[in-house]
Amino acid sequence: MKASRIAAAGAAAGAAVLAVSTPCFAHVSVQPEGEAAKGGYAVVGFKVPNERDNASTTKLEVTFPTDHPLASVMPQPVDGWDVKVTTSKLDKPLEMHGKKIDEAVSKVTWTAEGDGIEPGFFQKFPVSVGTLPEDADELVFKALQTYSNKEVVRWIEVPQEGQEEPEHPAPVLTLSEASEDGHAHGAADDDKASGDTAAAENASAQTSASGDEGDSGGTDTTARVLGVVGIVVGAAGVAYGVLAGRRRTTA
């Protein structure tokens, strides 16, 4: 009996720990597909799990940072979801590819066209973003998750370093340092292209030279064959002459 009580208590404690820890793993989050380097472009995915067992997630609203606005934001189509991109005027214009941009994406909203994210499932919403700021280590994206029962969960609390994770943390994208040769890829590609072109020209020249040598070799062979044929014909003529002379003498 004592052992049974201990086992039951342990199971209850385990269930309590699981219940407390589950929300920490079930919040809306953002992760890059690969690397999100400062000053570059990246594809990031907003992961939205369904935390309810009696309702589906039918809408996701993600607010993009205004302190580090992103000039380029392109959502990837997601089956069963309608997407809307909202832009806003910037207080300070951005410069991108030599052009000044006075507005940027401030919010992206996904709305389910069907059942949405049902209980026990999650959905990813990929977005291409850039250029990423060079003077920041992370970007905060506040999100609102709406359920089919009209409940709205606000994932807007900004996590603070050295403090416990808030109950409803906002998705945070960590930026990595740009590689030292990050701006040299174009030059490397040009060198590679030049090398490929030179190799192709060299191969072409070798092929042409081989062809010329082949033609010269063919000419020499033809001359040799004709010479041998001439010798054979000449020898045959001499032999015929000798035989004809012998016949006259015998006659």
Side-chain angles (χ1 to χ4, degrees):
M1 291 295 291
K2 187 175 181 180
S4 299
R5 290 176 182 177
I6 293 175
V17 171
L18 181 61
V20 172
S21 62
T22 297
C24 297
F25 296 97
H27 57 72
V28 175
S29 60
V30 58
Q31 292 292 333
E33 294 183 6
E35 187 179 44
K38 298 179 181 179
Y41 287 79
V43 174
V44 301
F46 293 94
K47 182 179 179 181
V48 183
N50 192 346
E51 295 183 301
R52 303 294 180 262
D53 57 6
N54 59 351
S56 297
T57 296
T58 56
K59 181 187 286 188
L60 173 68
E61 300 172 73
V62 177
T63 300
F64 281 66
T66 56
D67 54 343
H68 295 288
L70 301 173
S72 176
V73 175
M74 293 185 292
Q76 179 178 321
V78 178
D79 290 342
W81 292 81
D82 177 69
V83 60
K84 178 182 178 182
V85 178
T86 302
T87 60
S88 301
K89 288 287 184 178
L90 297 175
D91 295 333
K92 183 179 179 181
L94 297 175
E95 186 169 340
M96 183 177 180
H97 303 303
K99 296 182 179 180
K100 286 189 176 181
I101 299 175
D102 59 359
E103 65 178 17
V105 172
S106 55
K107 184 168 66 173
V108 178
T109 303
W110 289 268
T111 304
E113 297 176 335
D115 295 333
I117 309 172
E118 297 181 349
F121 292 88
F122 73 90
Q123 178 68 55
K124 279 188 177 182
F125 300 91
V127 182
S128 173
V129 296
T131 52
L132 298 174
E134 298 181 359
D135 57 348
D137 295 325
E138 60 185 24
L139 294 177
V140 178
F141 299 86
K142 297 183 178 182
L144 301 182
Q145 181 179 10
T146 302
Y147 286 90
S148 57
N149 60 3
K150 307 304 180 182
E151 178 190 3
V152 178
V153 181
R154 302 168 63 84
W155 303 99
I156 61 174
E157 299 175 8
V158 181
Q160 302 297 327
E161 187 176 356
Q163 298 183 12
E164 293 184 0
E165 185 178 62
E167 184 178 357
H168 296 97
V172 177
L173 175 66
T174 301
L175 305 181
S176 61
E177 295 295 333
S179 58
E180 293 181 359
D181 62 343
H183 299 289
H185 292 314
D189 292 340
D190 291 341
D191 293 341
K192 182 179 183 299
S194 299
D196 292 343
T197 302
E201 292 176 352
N202 187 34
S204 176
Q206 290 179 354
T207 303
S208 298
S210 299
D212 293 341
E213 291 176 358
D215 292 342
S216 177
T219 303
D220 292 344
T221 301
T222 302
R224 290 172 184 172
V225 171
L226 292 176
V228 172
V229 171
I231 293 173
V232 172
V233 171
V238 172
Y240 179 79
V242 172
L243 291 175
R246 288 182 178 179
R247 288 175 180 175
R248 292 195 190 97
T249 303
T250 304

